[in-house]
Amino acid sequence: MRKAGQTKMNILITGGTGFIGSALCSRLVADQHNVVVLSRDPTLISRPLSGISSLSQLNENDVFDAVINLAGEPIAEKTWRTRQKQRIWNSRIDTTEAVVDYLSSLRTKPEVLISGSAVGYYGVGKDSGPIVEGAQGDNSFSSMLCRDWESKARRAESFGVRTCLLRTGIVLGKRGGALGKMLLPFKLGLGGKIGDGKHWMPWIHLNDLIDIILFCITHSRCTGPIAGSITEPIAGPINATAPNAVTNQEFTCTLGKVLNRPTFFTMPAAAIKMLMGQMGEELLLSGKQVYPEAISQAGYNFKYEHLKDALSDILEK
Ligand SMILES: NC(=O)c1ccc[n+]([C@@H]2O[C@H](COP(=O)([O-])OP(=O)(O)OC[C@H]3O[C@@H](n4cnc5c(N)ncnc54)[C@H](OP(=O)(O)O)[C@@H]3O)[C@@H](O)[C@H]2O)c1
């Protein structure tokens, strides 16, 4: 097992300029690793990171220990008209295909590919209790996208690259992400639950997500379980969510308490559907109670298990 922080690693990242990726790059650089970021605009990437705009810029001297694939058109920025759904889809699938093609061409392959996915994998249907990695998805856009995204990444397993698929919940961090969008109305006392507030919001503190990515790099046990066996490294769906998912109502109350603001308002489900259509239905009005079984069984200990602690850390410092 590779020891994080003890060995200098070479790491390739897509999406390294984003909300998660930039925090991850800062951590990797602080830990003295060499990081190459694949970006549409590498001029924005400054030393000690190296930026490239195409994988063809790499040569046989570029040998990576790990590849982390996070790139993708933002999912909740624009209404899901046909063209935007295509952009969301293509940006993930095309990048993942290019990364896996690149890996297949290498004589010296990285030990691990960590590739993005989301709790949207599990679909939008009725709440069915706690969901772990073996659960199935449905025919919603989010679920089909995550399935295809994961299956493109899993091709790397066919040539021996351990592949971890991070089914990530709502990432909570200081700058940006979903919390960044929610803060203003809540700070103004205009925050409130969405619809009946009963749908689940699996969340994770950004620091835990970064630690899970590092854990996946250093712990080769993280490749299972797909069928309940932790010792058979077949494939690696990993729920990257805190162990205590909350409902939208609980999230709303907790955020209001941490900010010391009232949360009387309710955003009616009908208004969300009218304003945001399918995007609102899938991202704001539905959610499953996702539980991080694989990573917990592999021995990862969450720093932020409870929402109040996570929000207090992010908002009170
Ligand atoms: N944040 C969350 O709560 C959350 C939850 C679940 C899953 N995820 C997934 O985790 C990944 C990273 O999330 P994030 O919040 O860090 O995303 P983000 O801030 O939107 O960053 C994603 C990165 O992807 C690249 N990108 C954006 N549009 C693209 C396009 N049309 N084609 C190719 N590349 C594009 C950009 O890098 P360049 O501009 O440098 O090319 C951008 O920095 C995403 O795939 C997201 O779906 C995030």
Side-chain angles (χ1 to χ4, degrees):
M1 186 193 302
R2 190 185 289 278
K3 299 271 186 275
Q6 289 185 2
T7 316
K8 194 166 178 155
M9 290 187 279
N10 292 328
I11 297 181
L12 172 66
I13 302 187
T14 77
T17 57
F19 168 59
I20 298 167
S22 55
L24 175 63
C25 285
S26 302
R27 172 71 179 276
L28 291 169
V29 164
D31 289 350
Q32 310 289 315
H33 301 302
N34 294 320
V35 182
V36 177
V37 178
L38 175 67
S39 169
R40 291 164 304 164
D41 187 0
T43 59
L44 298 177
I45 291 155
S46 51
R47 292 181 73 79
L49 302 171
S50 310
I52 53 168
S53 58
S54 164
L55 293 166
S56 62
Q57 290 170 252
L58 299 169
N59 62 44
E60 59 189 24
N61 296 324
D62 296 302
V63 174
F64 294 102
D65 299 284
V67 175
I68 303 164
N69 177 38
L70 299 173
E73 171 81 9
I75 208 129
E77 231 56 344
K78 294 182 187 156
T79 313
W80 287 358
R81 298 191 202 292
T82 309
R83 212 163 144 207
Q84 182 60 11
K85 287 208 272 191
Q86 204 62 59
R87 278 177 72 88
I88 290 170
W89 193 283
N90 292 349
S91 60
R92 287 169 176 76
I93 301 308
D94 295 353
T95 309
T96 306
E97 278 186 326
V99 166
V100 174
D101 284 346
Y102 166 70
L103 297 183
S104 76
S105 73
L106 295 176
R107 206 170 334 145
T108 308
K109 300 198 193 318
E111 201 266 320
V112 60
L113 166 66
I114 296 170
S115 196
S117 182
V119 291
Y121 178 95
Y122 298 112
V124 296
K126 265 187 156 319
D127 179 23
S128 46
I131 296 243
V132 296
E133 283 82 353
Q136 302 297 307
D138 60 19
N139 289 329
S140 60
F141 175 70
S142 324
S143 184
M144 290 192 299
L145 170 64
C146 289
R147 274 207 297 282
D148 201 20
W149 194 8
E150 290 189 8
S151 81
K152 299 293 182 225
R154 292 191 86 145
R155 194 161 58 84
E157 292 173 339
S158 68
F159 40 83
V161 175
R162 182 165 64 88
T163 302
C164 298
L165 307 157
L166 293 179
R167 292 182 185 159
T168 307
I170 301 163
V171 183
L172 304 177
K174 276 195 207 313
R175 276 173 282 274
L179 190 59
K181 291 194 174 72
M182 288 177 220
L183 272 185
L184 183 62
F186 273 84
K187 281 184 174 169
L188 294 172
L190 300 172
K193 67 180 183 186
I194 301 176
D196 65 10
K198 288 184 180 154
H199 50 284
W200 290 91
M201 289 178 68
W203 60 274
I204 184 165
H205 192 301
L206 178 58
N207 293 355
D208 268 319
L209 179 59
I210 288 171
D211 282 346
I212 286 174
I213 292 173
L214 297 177
F215 189 96
C216 288
I217 293 174
T218 53
H219 289 67
S220 54
R221 247 179 121 209
C222 278
T223 44
I226 196 166
S229 162
I230 199 84
T231 50
E232 279 296 317
I234 303 165
I238 292 162
N239 291 340
T241 60
N244 296 290
V246 294
T247 61
N248 171 260
Q249 171 130 33
E250 279 175 86
F251 190 98
T252 302
C253 287
T254 310
L255 182 53
K257 276 187 194 145
V258 171
L259 291 171
N260 202 16
R261 291 287 186 281
T263 52
F264 300 133
F265 289 88
T266 296
M267 178 63 98
I272 297 277
K273 286 179 195 166
M274 201 178 73
L275 292 170
M276 298 184 188
Q278 186 185 10
M279 179 175 94
E281 287 189 48
E282 291 197 16
L283 300 184
L284 296 180
L285 292 169
S286 64
K288 299 264 177 97
Q289 188 185 2
V290 178
Y291 179 77
E293 184 174 76
I295 199 76
S296 301
Q297 285 187 354
Y300 179 76
N301 293 312
F302 281 83
K303 293 195 178 54
Y304 298 94
E305 292 194 7
H306 297 281
L307 182 64
K308 184 166 182 300
D309 297 336
L311 289 176
S312 300
D313 174 74
I314 293 164
L315 298 170
E316 288 175 359
K317 271 186 188 163

